Amino acid sequence: MGAQLRVYKRRIRSVTATKKITKAMEMIAASRIVKAQRQVAASTPYASELTRAVTAVATGSNTKHALTTEVENPVRAAVLLVTSDRGLAGGYSSNAIKAADKLTERLRSEGKDVVTYIIGRKGVAYYGFRERPVAESWTGFTDSPTYADAKKVAGPLIEAVQRDTAEGGVDELHIVFTEFVSMMTQSPVEKRLLPLSLDVTDEAAEAGKGKILPLFDFEPSAEGVLDALLPRYVESRIYNALLQSAASEHAARRRAMKSATDNAGELIKSLSRLANAARQAEITQEISEIVGGSSALADANAGSD
């Protein structure tokens, strides 16, 4: 009985130490979510307005540009996958990887070759273990990205878009990341960055009938303006995706660590009940042995009389 009680106490100490670690990680993730949310809120208007400006330039001119022109028969597409550098975040990275796999299958079913770019050690490890080709990867900044990180990622992607497909270029650029919806909901999404979609809804077209549309003058030219906007557009969109993913990662980690802390608490309660039962059984056995020994001694004294 004593050995069993020691085992329970040792397990309780171990689980208690684990609970302290998971609770600390939960609090750290919760404190980082606020900063990540503020960064998302600050970057989203800039990315939206830049997209609106690019759309205005594209619709206000007849210039054919890689930023806005659909290739008639696209043969190669680039997919940028955003995962995390660290684990203990539930299904955050695995959900993004599944979304990227579905996108890759769809693009290949359309007859396109897929070139994969990855952000985050989890995605790199997943593709490396399965020996899948990766054009380029970046790690070390997923939980706290900066605009410089987005610029570093955007460089090779912009070069690939501007190159001819015969020289290893791509016709399309897609990104897969996790969108921060709320503290409890983070959804993996895939979006096409290039060519920029200029679809106009029927409602918008009907509302625009009979109205005088603005005229634009481009200096030095519409193509020159688009050339200048292309890097800014891609960088801003990637930066916003990185911030969305960082906020989602912290929220997922907080939720996972809270679940682990709660489970550790329940396990400690269960082990404490077992330890109390073992201790009670040990005490009962000791009392029984004392009573039995006392009775045997009394019987022996009675026999000697």
Side-chain angles (χ1 to χ4, degrees), residues 185-261:
T185 306
Q186 301 85 43
S187 304
V189 295
E190 59 92 1
K191 294 183 179 180
R192 193 183 73 175
L193 297 184
L194 296 175
L196 180 64
S197 178
L198 301 176
D199 295 336
V200 179
T201 61
D202 294 337
E203 292 80 1
E206 187 68 26
K209 287 184 178 179
K211 292 185 178 181
I212 299 176
L213 299 177
L215 297 177
F216 294 93
D217 289 330
F218 304 106
E219 292 292 342
S221 64
E223 186 175 359
V225 173
L226 288 174
D227 285 338
L229 289 177
L230 174 60
R232 302 292 179 269
Y233 166 75
V234 176
E235 290 167 7
S236 66
R237 280 300 176 183
I238 291 178
Y239 181 51
N240 185 258
L242 288 175
L243 293 178
Q244 293 267 6
S245 297
S248 300
E249 178 184 348
H250 294 316
R253 183 169 290 112
R254 175 187 174 276
R255 190 168 62 252
M257 291 300 98
K258 185 181 186 305
S259 178
T261 302

Side-chain angles (χ1 to χ4, degrees), residues 24-39:
M25 295 183 67
E26 176 191 348
M27 296 176 66
I28 291 172
S31 66
R32 290 178 175 176
I33 291 175
V34 178
K35 179 182 178 182
Q37 284 180 295
R38 290 175 181 171
Q39 290 179 319

Side-chain angles (χ1 to χ4, degrees), residues 55-212:
T55 303
V57 176
T59 55
S61 68
N62 296 323
T63 303
K64 292 186 177 181
H65 194 274
L67 182 63
T68 57
T69 304
E70 295 273 359
V71 179
E72 186 174 352
N73 294 309
V75 296
R76 186 176 291 109
V79 175
L80 175 62
L81 169 62
V82 182
T83 62
S84 66
D85 285 323
R86 299 185 294 123
L88 301 177
Y92 165 76
S93 293
S94 61
N95 290 337
I97 291 172
K98 289 177 183 177
D101 287 343
K102 289 182 180 179
L103 173 61
T104 300
E105 290 177 4
R106 178 171 65 81
L107 292 174
R108 286 175 176 166
S109 67
E110 296 172 357
K112 304 171 187 174
D113 294 332
V114 178
V115 183
T116 305
Y117 297 81
I118 299 179
I119 298 174
R121 292 190 178 92
K122 290 299 177 179
V124 172
Y126 179 89
Y127 275 70
F129 181 77
R130 288 159 180 77
E131 298 182 350
R132 296 182 182 179
V134 176
E136 197 162 346
S137 62
W138 302 268
T139 60
F141 54 82
T142 59
D143 59 344
S144 183
T146 63
Y147 193 84
D149 297 322
K151 193 172 183 178
K152 178 173 62 177
V153 173
L157 296 173
I158 295 171
E159 291 179 5
V161 171
Q162 293 176 333
R163 284 200 309 268
D164 189 82
T165 53
E167 300 175 355
V170 297
D171 299 315
E172 297 177 357
L173 172 58
H174 300 259
I175 184 170
V176 179
F177 65 98
T178 305
E179 186 177 33
F180 182 85
V181 180
S182 67
M183 293 290 289
M184 298 302 297
T185 306
Q186 301 85 43
S187 304
V189 295
E190 59 92 1
K191 294 183 179 180
R192 193 183 73 175
L193 297 184
L194 296 175
L196 180 64
S197 178
L198 301 176
D199 295 336
V200 179
T201 61
D202 294 337
E203 292 80 1
E206 187 68 26
K209 287 184 178 179
K211 292 185 178 181
I212 299 176

